[in-house]
Amino acid sequence: MSRGKHKFKQSDIVRAVKAARAAGLDPRGVEIDPNGTLRVLFNGTDAQIKQTNSVNEWDVQ
């Protein structure tokens, strides 16, 4: 009996982890939901993203 078709590929996971590393983050793992959603997990300090209050001049009209 097969498990059915997977909703993700190994290359999808590799691509997500490489993108996180390219952004300067250090991923600690990956979660895969039964519906195929991939989540790259980070340490608490990495996951904090600084928010800016800058406004894009093109959005102001």
Side-chain angles (χ1 to χ4, degrees):
M1 184 185 301
S2 74
R3 294 182 181 201
K5 186 175 179 178
H6 295 290
K7 297 180 184 194
F8 66 93
K9 297 180 180 152
Q10 182 178 358
S11 61
D12 297 330
I13 298 170
V14 171
R15 189 178 305 120
V17 171
K18 281 185 177 182
R21 287 183 178 155
L25 301 172
D26 186 25
R28 66 172 174 92
V30 176
E31 280 185 357
I32 305 167
D33 287 343
N35 66 359
T37 302
L38 296 174
R39 282 193 191 95
V40 181
L41 305 174
F42 304 99
N43 292 328
T45 56
D46 288 343
Q48 294 177 358
I49 300 173
K50 295 180 181 178
Q51 293 182 343
T52 61
N53 290 332
S54 62
V55 177
N56 187 347
E57 64 184 57
W58 291 97
D59 292 337
V60 180
Q61 293 182 1

